Amino acid sequence: MKPLPQSVLFCCDHNSVRSPMAEGLMKKFYGTGTYVQSAGVHNDLEIDGFCIAACHEVGVELSRHRSRSFDEMQEWGDDLSSFDLVVALSPASQRRALELTRVFHLDVDYWPIMDPTGLGETREEKLHHYRQTRDQIIGHLKDRWGEPTE
C-alpha cells in the first residue's frame, strides 16, 4: 500500500466511462486531500449513462462530468507535469500518457480495466458489465491506497 499522492490523473480512451468512474470513486473514497482529474485520448463522447448509473449505486455522482482530452487539458492550463501520478486505464491512453510525460519525471501506472461499452444486449446485461468495470477500479484503488477513508 502506498501513501496517497498530492495529485492524480486518470486517463482512458474517451473520458466517458473508465476515467470519470475512477476520478469519482477516488474522490469519494479518499476525500479532497488529493487533487483528482481525468482525461481521454479523445473527447468525442459525452459521459455514458450506464457509467452514471453504476456509480450512482455506490453513491458517486457523475452526471455533471464533462469529457475532456489531453489536448484540452493543456489548453486549459492543467499541465500534466503538475500531477504526481498518471493512471492509464486503457492501452491507448497509456501510450499517449507516456508520450506526453517522457520529458517529466512522472510515474505512469497502467491498470488494465475492462471497457464495458458495447457489451450486453439488455439494460440489465449492460449494467452488469459497467458494474464489473466499476468494481475492477475499486479493487485497484484499494490495492494501491487501502480501504476508503471517507
Side-chain angles (χ1 to χ4, degrees), residues 24-121:
L25 289 162
M26 174 99 187
K27 285 175 177 171
K28 175 167 176 61
F29 282 11
Y30 305 109
T32 53
T34 298
Y35 178 69
V36 186
Q37 287 293 313
S38 63
V41 178
H42 314 283
N43 79 325
D44 48 351
L45 302 172
E46 280 303 305
I47 182 96
D48 186 294
F50 287 105
C51 171
I52 293 171
C55 283
H56 186 74
E57 293 175 349
V58 295
V60 173
E61 180 51 57
L62 291 181
S63 61
R64 287 192 287 291
H65 177 81
R66 293 288 162 262
S67 300
R68 64 185 191 156
S69 66
F70 283 117
D71 295 341
E72 285 171 324
M73 269 185 71
Q74 290 176 309
E75 283 165 31
W76 300 341
D78 227 346
D79 206 329
L80 273 179
S81 62
S82 64
F83 290 93
D84 295 329
L85 174 66
V86 177
V87 178
L89 307 174
S90 68
S93 66
Q94 181 190 26
R95 281 192 301 276
R96 185 84 170 108
L98 288 169
E99 272 168 34
L100 292 169
T101 60
R102 68 175 180 267
V103 292
F104 312 123
H105 292 291
L106 191 62
D107 288 332
V108 177
D109 282 6
Y110 174 57
W111 297 356
I113 303 294
M114 175 184 93
D115 180 1
T117 56
L119 300 176
E121 296 297 315

Side-chain angles (χ1 to χ4, degrees), residues 49-50 53 120-131:
F50 287 105
E121 296 297 315
T122 65
R123 176 176 169 73
E124 202 42 54
E125 285 172 4
K126 287 179 187 300
L127 256 177
H128 168 74
H129 292 293
Y130 280 78
R131 286 180 188 123

